Amino acid sequence: AEFANVLVLNKTDLVSSEQLGNLKSIFEKINPGARIIESQFGIVDPNLLLNTKAFYLNSASMLPGWKTELAGVQHKSETDEYGISSFVYRNDRPFHPDRFESLCLS
């Protein structure tokens, strides 16, 4: 998130305004220059995401995370520091569309 120019917070309708405020505060701390867009159901105007002309290498290279990484300094991961995590599911056989939809709706 530190180098993103635009951050999309999706499913904002599923959290309280206090939770959303806390999340936005975390992202503002990580990347104070990023535009934060709130969305529901992944609906975002493409013009807000594409061809923003908002990345400047000189500015990005001055961010503390960039300098720390280049210097090889150990740091806390986003998972440890902010509780942010992700996963990637890989399998040669794709999900069955109907069963996957049923799982998502349950």
Side-chain angles (χ1 to χ4, degrees):
E2 182 177 13
F3 297 104
N5 307 100
V6 179
L7 300 170
V8 178
L9 302 182
N10 192 37
K11 299 187 178 188
T12 56
D13 56 320
L14 301 180
V15 297
S16 69
S17 58
E18 180 181 353
Q19 291 170 317
L20 181 58
N22 290 339
L23 185 58
K24 288 172 74 171
S25 294
I26 290 171
F27 283 116
E28 288 167 356
K29 180 180 175 188
I30 294 172
N31 187 343
R35 169 190 251 175
I36 298 175
I37 299 171
E38 298 175 26
S39 72
Q40 296 86 37
F41 303 99
I43 300 171
V44 178
D45 180 354
N47 293 318
L48 298 175
L49 304 174
L50 304 174
N51 201 24
T52 63
K53 297 183 173 82
F55 180 77
Y56 302 101
L57 182 60
N58 290 340
S59 298
S61 66
M62 300 306 291
L63 292 169
W66 182 291
K67 291 180 179 180
T68 302
E69 288 296 322
L70 290 176
V73 176
Q74 292 291 338
H75 67 281
K76 281 186 176 180
S77 70
E78 287 81 5
T79 300
D80 293 334
E81 190 166 354
Y82 302 107
I84 299 170
S85 63
S86 63
F87 73 95
V88 175
Y89 175 83
R90 289 193 174 99
N91 196 332
D92 293 334
R93 185 175 172 197
F95 288 117
H96 186 280
D98 295 331
R99 289 193 299 250
F100 183 68
E101 181 180 17
S102 177
L103 174 69
C104 291
L105 295 175
S106 64

